[in-house]
Amino acid sequence: MIRARVIATGSYVPEKVLTNFDIEKMVDTSDEWIIERTGINQRRIARDDQAASDLAYEASKSALEYAGLKPKDLDLIIVATVTGDMPLPATACILQHRLGAKKAAAFDVNAACSGFIYGLSIGDKFIRSGSHKRVLVVGTEILSKFTDWADRTTCVLFGDGAGAVILERTEEDRGIIETRIHSDGSMWDLLHTPGGGSKNPPSSETIRKRYHYIKMKGNETFKVAVRMLEDLVIATLKHNKLEPSKLSLLIPHQANRRIIQATAKRLNLPMEKVVMNLDRYGNTSAASIPIALDEAFRAGRIKQDDYILLEAFGGGLTWGSALIKW
Ligand code: ACO
């Protein structure tokens, strides 16, 4: 049986740190409120001259180096992002050029915070079909450039970064066991950026109305996220006849500590088996899972044959999971 195996991981976060205390000086909030309601202490902010493809390039280079591969060894590049370099072309094509991955087809995926799981799912299917052998899947975001720094309900949440994995065809009994992806567009307006697209093309009017910034109805999103993620992780494990106790690690999207704790509780997993880095990076949307995966892997928290569950929830609304036997 053909499967896709993660053979390497990589990540990159910008150097600049923005703490809760820094944000206290910008809007009416407090370090205490942010930590209690989200679990976030600080986040990283990209330089003005950095675009999403620059962060993706660093993460991809790190994964390629780990794998001992050259960019020409890749035959597909999938980039998950909602903060791409520009509306046209795909950030994946800019990354392909930077890397010099001449043989790879490249395209973007837009599924907000679930983007990496969507990308992984697509890459897995390309490999299982036999058409492609090596796929680079990247999540990269510069949310800070689309954050309304005068809106305390969103500006405390987001951060910048990128993470990457390389998938390779294997016939061993390990790799990606199953991915699940879901959407419910009826709630698209819970989390959206109204301006800059064909509905509200950029104009002085859309700028004045601050339409180019991310808007989120946080509390409503929170409630749906908790419910959907609990159902999702249970369904994923049940379908694969895997007891939660057999999981070595849960690597959730890093949106909110309380959402992560609720999912872990539903699985009866001790928090030592849950990877959390949102205290340091905030919510980096599509980048959060591959950054957390890279950190966990390089810290020696993942061993061969371990069962790892990834899960995410985000704008769209979208949500998804990936069960991996490492
Ligand atoms: N500082 C201080 N007070 C604040 C702040 C802040 N930064 N932000 C909001 N408040 C206030 C509100 O105004 C409100 O005050 P009120 O009661 O007087 O009206 C009060 O705090 C409570 O606000 P809620 O929005 O109900 O707070 P909640 O506990 O829901 O926390 C949060 C907000 C952190 C945004 C949470 O709802 C959340 O994490 N939501 C889910 C986010 C998510 O998962 N998004 C999907 C992924 S993101 C993506 O796809 C890009």
Side-chain angles (χ1 to χ4, degrees):
M1 184 183 190
I2 302 173
R3 283 195 198 282
R5 193 166 78 78
V6 176
I7 59 159
T9 63
S11 63
Y12 169 80
V13 289
E15 277 162 33
K16 185 179 169 189
V17 173
L18 188 75
T19 66
N20 292 347
F21 297 107
D22 296 326
I23 298 183
E24 276 183 0
K25 293 177 199 135
M26 298 155 68
V27 289
D28 178 19
T29 190
S30 66
D31 175 56
E32 197 188 356
W33 190 95
I34 302 169
I35 293 179
E36 193 195 306
R37 304 313 292 166
T38 71
I40 299 166
N41 294 319
Q42 59 182 51
R43 65 290 289 145
R44 299 299 181 98
I45 305 293
R47 296 191 312 264
D48 288 349
D49 67 341
Q50 284 179 313
S53 66
D54 297 315
L55 276 51
Y57 173 73
E58 298 299 335
S60 304
K61 211 170 54 154
S62 164
L64 283 163
E65 274 164 20
Y66 186 91
L69 291 173
K70 299 255 174 322
K72 66 169 173 39
D73 298 323
L74 299 171
D75 45 20
L76 186 63
I77 297 175
I78 303 171
V79 171
T81 186
V82 288
T83 56
D85 289 21
M86 42 190 103
L88 177 74
T91 299
C93 292
I94 298 170
L95 175 65
Q96 183 231 20
H97 174 62
R98 280 270 327 261
L99 289 170
K102 291 201 158 79
K103 289 193 202 150
F107 60 86
D108 287 358
V109 174
N110 177 336
C113 297
S114 315
F116 180 75
I117 300 281
Y118 270 65
L120 203 66
S121 180
I122 298 164
D124 178 45
K125 266 128 189 117
F126 268 92
I127 287 180
R128 281 181 195 246
S129 76
S131 66
H132 290 66
K133 286 199 176 65
R134 249 182 236 117
V135 181
L136 174 69
V137 184
V138 187
T140 184
E141 303 282 11
I142 301 193
L143 292 156
S144 63
K145 295 191 186 184
F146 300 89
T147 296
D148 186 344
W149 291 103
D151 174 10
R152 70 172 184 173
T153 68
T154 53
C155 77
V156 300
L157 305 172
F158 301 122
D160 304 336
V165 300
I166 298 173
L167 301 179
E168 190 174 78
R169 176 194 162 110
T170 181
E171 289 182 30
E172 293 174 47
D173 177 29
R174 62 196 181 113
I176 299 175
I177 308 288
E178 185 195 72
T179 58
R180 292 184 166 224
I181 53 172
H182 300 280
S183 311
D184 184 348
S186 70
M187 289 179 274
W188 66 267
D189 63 335
L190 290 190
L191 183 44
H192 69 297
T193 307
S198 54
K199 193 171 175 66
N200 297 299
S203 66
S204 48
E205 174 80 351
T206 62
I207 303 280
R208 195 182 53 76
K209 290 180 166 167
R210 306 177 90 76
Y211 275 11
H212 51 296
Y213 292 132
I214 299 167
K215 319 278 177 206
M216 181 165 74
K217 292 178 189 157
N219 194 267
E220 286 171 61
T221 310
F222 183 97
K223 286 179 195 148
V224 188
V226 169
R227 186 159 41 88
M228 294 307 190
L229 286 173
E230 288 186 0
D231 290 351
L232 174 69
V233 292
I234 294 293
T236 307
L237 295 185
K238 216 173 196 173
H239 184 248
N240 291 284
K241 300 187 176 56
L242 198 71
E243 288 297 321
S245 59
K246 293 276 185 292
L247 277 183
S248 297
L249 276 185
L250 173 70
I251 307 186
H253 167 51
Q254 310 283 311
N256 187 305
R257 183 175 55 197
R258 290 179 292 138
I259 298 178
I260 296 174
Q261 285 168 336
T263 313
K265 193 170 169 206
R266 183 73 177 82
L267 290 172
N268 221 355
L269 275 189
M271 289 312 283
E272 304 86 73
K273 285 190 171 189
V274 182
V275 179
M276 271 210 280
N277 62 13
L278 85 168
D279 53 328
R280 286 176 290 135
Y281 304 138
N283 177 352
T284 56
S285 188
S288 85
I289 291 179
I291 294 173
L293 178 63
D294 182 49
E295 287 192 343
F297 179 54
R298 290 182 189 237
R301 292 179 75 184
I302 306 177
K303 309 249 165 6
Q304 186 171 331
D305 294 334
D306 278 357
Y307 282 103
I308 314 288
L309 183 61
L310 317 180
E311 47 88 344
F313 185 90
L317 298 176
T318 56
W319 59 104
S321 64
L323 180 64
I324 300 176
K325 186 178 177 192
W326 199 263

